[in-house]
Amino acid sequence: MSIGISEEHVELAATLRKWASSLGGTELTRTAEEDAHATFAEAWSAAQEMGITTIALPEAAGGGGGTVLDVAVALEACAHELVPGALLGPAVASLLLGSSEHAATLAEGAVVGLALGDVVWDAPQATHVLLATPGDAWVLAPREAVELDLAAPGLDLTRRFGTVRLVDDAAAVAVPGLTTARVRRAAVTLAAAEASGLARWCLATAVDYAKVREQFGRKIGSFQAIKHLCAEMLEHAETVTSLAWDVANAADAGDDAQWTYASDVAGALAFDAALEVAKSCIQVLGGIGFTFEHDAHFYYRRASALRGLLGSSDAAALRLASRAAAGERRRLDVDLEGRDEALRPEARDTAARIAALPDAERRAALVDSGYLTPHWPTPYGLGADAVRQLVIDQELTRAGVERPDLVIAGWALPTILEHGTEEQRERFVRPSLLGELVWCQLFSEPGAGSDLASLRTRAERVEGGWRLSGQKVWTSVAHRADWGICLARTDPEAPQHRGITYFLVDMRNSEGIEVRPLREMTGEALFNEVFLDDVFVPDGCVVAEPGDGWRLARTTLANERVAMASSRLGTSTERAVELAAAGLGEADLVKVGRAVALSTVCSLLGVRTVMRSLAGRGPGPESSVAKLLGVRSRQEGSELVVALQQDRLVVPDEQLRADLWEMLSTRCLSIAGGTTQVLRNVAGERILGLPR
């Protein structure tokens, strides 16, 4: 996977990775290991020929006329192959000076050493230095106007640094409007792209090794500990990639406030996350990863150096908390490139018509129009593609119309639509959409939670149907459900994943059903135990054929739901921001800033999923990672809200009682719908391809 989503960016990334690989970056690095004056001239010459650092310079100045996102895709590819020497610094300089009189100088091959503080990047190779003078005034100085002290090779062996002092003020040319904040913002933007490339290489290297390395007679990738470690690497890598993509987009949009916000989100998470992936890569590799001969340590070194160069993640989180407390949020817009124009008038008129109805009539209008489930096939939806779904969402939001939550019906009905009979569709789908039927899910059992293949509820053939007996547990809303979707074993001789059938159980009128509420840690009883004692289910309530249950349980409609992420943070994160606005100490503000950053990442993953759908690409790993990170965000956010209120939690007022309830209730999120650990197994096997 890459920062880029469009076909052009995917092709650009693939081409540049191949080119960058041919440079032999790690071999060049090893050759120059002790050379403080190393310029990696071969790599720089090749990069200049490819126009890497001048992609975003105006064409009139001799550049590529590209976008910041173009540059980010290129730098990610170069970092993936660890191209050494001057690259990041000159690219940042091009971004900052592209509209100035200095653009032509950059296009001609000048190497601008970037000085953030006293440290100058690419010191041995620099023909110019971009540095700050007193009063935060920035100047571009030729090499002869500065005194450069070259440092011995440091942590990052792929680059060289030094310290700088301006000795000829008259030779330096002022860069109007440039500030330290803007320079750092540009540096974070492009460094995040490098961090993504580093993380991607480390993830791929670890996974490839885990697929072939054997211990105790098995591939190590089949061990759950390794599988989980690689899945966590995937979470970190997707985080870095989404942040790099977003901050580059924000830079291109031309809104300084949004760019600043996005760069603080990236600064709070991206470089720490990339370093975690690099460390985990070495851990998976084991002893070979600790050798100098393996390339892994070069990636670890550069990831560490990037984090040091770009400033404290705590400082970024602190700034982010302050911005969020002042009401700022990342606006998550999708450019539909004009594909929405023909669809929007009808969608706007329909949404306005629904909004004008009394609340009690809106649901039926949503169902009749297909706007409740536009991604479903007609007559229950519109068979809408991604663009039309987004337009409908936007217009309903604009009109103030909120869709009702289908809850378990949202899982049951797609299965009935795709695999059920016409009679079943007519009987169940529309009444459920209207809210006339409430559903529960009878899947989990005391001995078969995430492991549904081990379920023991049995169904025996009788005249006209089946008799079901067994026990189900953790069944939400069973106490008020009209119908339940139930898996039961109809062929005990078949292999575990076979011999299971998908039933529709009448919870109101069937004899032999006992529902016992299970009181949760919140003190409420949403979950239930359900005992099935010789419950009769007619043949007309079997979906598809006997034995198809396992396949049906995993059904989703081919035309999947596409939804635009909200710029609003999660409930608990918004509450934490509210507490920050009321006044918190610096350490607590940093925690709030990190929560804001994580919540923003979850939204970004959703946006990238939408963009992938719009580009006609199959689902990427974002949705799986979003589930894992979303659970973490909600749980950690709710815990933070309670922790911020310190000893008041033992004498709570009404608001704090609500905060406590949220913290307690979110504990189930890492269990419900498949535990976090099981989902990491799934991610390891289905996304990363690790052995079972």
Side-chain angles (χ1 to χ4, degrees):
M1 305 303 297
S2 166
I3 290 172
I5 294 174
S6 69
E7 183 176 349
E8 293 80 4
H9 280 150
V10 171
E11 291 179 357
L12 175 64
T15 299
L16 287 179
R17 278 190 188 179
K18 185 176 180 180
W19 163 81
S21 178
S22 72
L23 299 179
T26 53
E27 289 79 3
L28 293 174
T29 299
R30 286 189 169 89
T31 300
E33 179 188 347
E34 302 294 338
D35 185 1
H37 299 269
T39 61
F40 302 101
E42 305 98 318
W44 172 252
S45 177
Q48 281 295 98
E49 188 176 339
M50 290 293 287
I52 301 296
T53 64
T54 57
I55 290 174
L57 285 179
E59 291 182 358
T67 65
V68 179
L69 187 57
D70 294 335
V71 183
V73 170
L75 289 180
E76 179 192 41
C78 292
H80 190 280
E81 302 304 326
L82 213 66
V83 175
L87 205 61
L88 177 60
V92 173
S94 292
L95 179 55
L96 294 168
L97 304 176
S99 59
S100 75
E101 60 186 286
H102 308 293
T105 302
L106 296 172
E108 290 168 1
V111 179
V112 177
L114 180 65
L116 277 171
D118 293 331
V119 175
V120 61
W121 304 7
D122 310 310
Q125 199 175 350
T127 61
H128 297 72
V129 177
L130 186 64
L131 73 163
T133 60
D136 200 25
W138 280 73
V139 298
L140 183 66
R143 175 69 176 254
E144 57 269 19
V146 299
E147 183 179 282
L148 282 175
D149 291 327
L150 303 184
L155 177 64
D156 182 1
L157 298 179
T158 68
R159 288 186 173 137
R160 297 295 182 265
F161 299 88
T163 56
V164 64
R165 184 170 65 89
L166 182 63
V167 295
D168 185 356
D169 292 355
V173 181
V175 184
L178 201 58
T179 64
T180 299
R182 188 173 184 85
V183 172
R184 189 171 296 280
R185 188 189 321 155
V188 166
T189 298
L190 297 186
E194 280 209 348
S196 179
L198 301 176
R200 290 292 172 190
W201 183 92
C202 291
L203 172 63
T205 299
V207 168
D208 287 347
Y209 186 77
K211 290 178 182 178
V212 299
R213 179 73 166 100
E214 291 191 3
Q215 284 285 316
F216 308 107
R218 294 170 57 191
K219 301 290 192 297
I220 65 171
S222 66
F223 299 147
Q224 182 165 281
I226 299 296
K227 205 165 289 181
H228 284 194
L229 187 56
C230 289
E232 289 169 5
M233 292 173 71
L234 174 65
E235 294 170 42
H236 287 307
E238 285 297 321
T239 293
V240 182
T241 300
S242 66
L243 291 170
W245 172 79
D246 183 57
V247 72
N249 278 323
D252 279 325
D255 184 329
D256 273 3
Q258 284 288 289
W259 185 17
T260 300
Y261 192 96
S263 69
D264 281 339
V265 175
L269 293 181
F271 305 109
D272 288 342
L275 185 56
E276 285 301 315
V277 180
K279 291 191 292 187
S280 294
C281 175
I282 294 171
Q283 185 70 24
V284 172
L285 292 170
I288 191 68
F290 189 65
T291 65
F292 195 87
E293 285 69 25
H294 199 285
D295 292 344
H297 71 99
F298 290 124
Y299 288 82
Y300 173 65
R301 287 167 176 269
R302 186 182 281 192
S304 299
L306 277 181
R307 188 175 70 166
L309 286 170
L310 274 305
S312 164
S313 61
D314 283 355
L318 184 61
R319 292 191 299 269
L320 188 59
S322 297
R323 297 186 196 286
E328 294 184 45
R329 299 291 184 275
R330 183 73 180 101
R331 293 195 303 273
L332 303 173
D333 300 320
V334 172
D335 182 5
L336 298 176
E337 299 176 339
R339 288 180 284 176
D340 58 323
E341 292 177 2
L343 302 170
R344 198 164 293 281
E346 179 187 354
R348 183 164 296 178
D349 289 346
T350 302
R353 176 174 56 80
I354 295 172
L357 295 172
D359 289 347
E361 299 177 18
R362 285 187 178 183
R363 182 163 186 157
L366 284 167
V367 174
D368 291 338
S369 64
Y371 277 33
L372 180 56
T373 50
H375 57 302
W376 288 6
T378 57
Y380 307 106
L382 300 171
D385 63 11
V387 174
R388 192 176 185 190
Q389 289 181 52
L390 290 176
V391 170
I392 290 171
D393 278 5
Q394 291 168 351
E395 294 305 326
L396 288 175
T397 299
R398 186 196 306 272
V401 177
E402 185 174 348
R403 288 191 181 98
D405 187 357
L406 295 178
V407 199
I408 303 300
W411 300 355
L413 300 184
T415 305
I416 295 172
L417 283 173
E418 188 165 342
H419 301 288
T421 64
E422 186 58 37
E423 180 183 355
Q424 288 170 345
R425 287 190 282 271
E426 290 181 3
R427 181 179 182 184
F428 295 113
V429 178
R430 181 177 171 80
S432 299
L433 292 177
L434 290 171
E436 296 169 0
L437 297 179
V438 175
W439 290 79
C440 67
Q441 185 186 63
L442 301 163
F443 283 12
S444 294
E445 298 182 1
S450 298
D451 182 17
L452 289 178
S454 297
L455 61 83
R456 296 182 179 180
T457 295
R458 67 183 187 277
E460 297 180 354
R461 195 61 144 122
V462 296
E463 184 177 353
W466 303 77
R467 292 281 181 182
L468 276 60
S469 295
Q471 180 185 354
K472 300 293 182 176
V473 74
W474 317 126
T475 309
S476 301
V477 304
H479 55 293
R480 57 184 181 87
D482 301 291
W483 285 84
I485 50 177
C486 181
L487 293 182
R489 189 168 296 282
T490 49
D491 184 355
E493 303 301 321
Q496 268 196 325
H497 291 83
R498 300 180 183 177
I500 295 172
T501 300
Y502 196 105
F503 294 96
L504 307 178
V505 177
D506 187 340
M507 299 293 291
R508 295 285 187 187
N509 302 307
S510 299
E511 295 182 359
I513 296 179
E514 181 183 359
V515 178
R516 297 179 187 173
L518 289 170
R519 197 176 183 205
E520 304 156 25
M521 62 163 46
T522 61
E524 299 177 357
L526 177 66
F527 290 155
N528 301 269
E529 288 181 293
V530 179
F531 295 87
L532 306 171
D533 183 10
D534 211 27
V535 176
F536 178 73
V537 177
D539 285 328
C541 287
V542 173
V543 182
E545 298 297 324
D548 285 343
W550 179 257
R551 177 173 62 90
L552 267 60
R554 300 169 64 185
T555 291
T556 56
L557 284 179
N559 191 6
E560 292 188 12
R561 175 85 172 97
V562 174
M564 188 66 235
S566 169
S567 59
R568 178 176 167 80
L569 304 169
T571 300
S572 291
T573 307
E574 290 285 3
R575 174 71 178 126
V577 170
E578 181 183 319
L579 292 170
L584 292 173
E586 184 172 302
D588 285 337
L589 285 172
V590 168
K591 296 174 185 176
V592 173
R594 292 191 186 283
V596 170
L598 179 57
S599 184
T600 303
V601 167
C602 293
S603 295
L604 293 176
L605 291 168
V607 175
R608 281 176 61 82
T609 298
V610 170
M611 295 296 291
R612 199 174 296 281
S613 295
L614 292 172
R617 299 189 175 279
E622 295 95 345
S623 57
S624 297
V625 173
K627 156 76 171 167
L628 291 164
L629 291 185
V631 167
R632 180 181 145 204
S633 177
R634 288 189 62 185
Q635 289 184 334
E636 291 182 359
S638 63
E639 290 170 1
L640 175 60
V641 166
V642 171
L644 291 175
Q645 298 179 75
Q646 300 179 2
D647 62 352
R648 282 174 290 165
L649 66 91
V650 296
V651 285
D653 57 17
E654 184 176 352
Q655 176 60 63
L656 183 47
R657 287 183 186 279
D659 296 336
L660 292 169
W661 184 91
E662 182 72 11
M663 182 189 74
L664 294 171
S665 67
T666 55
R667 271 297 94 207
C668 75
L669 298 179
S670 51
I671 303 170
T675 68
T676 295
Q677 290 70 31
V678 167
L679 290 177
R680 285 192 175 131
N681 282 349
V682 172
E685 293 168 8
R686 296 185 188 170
I687 297 176
L688 299 177
L690 293 171
R692 295 179 64 86

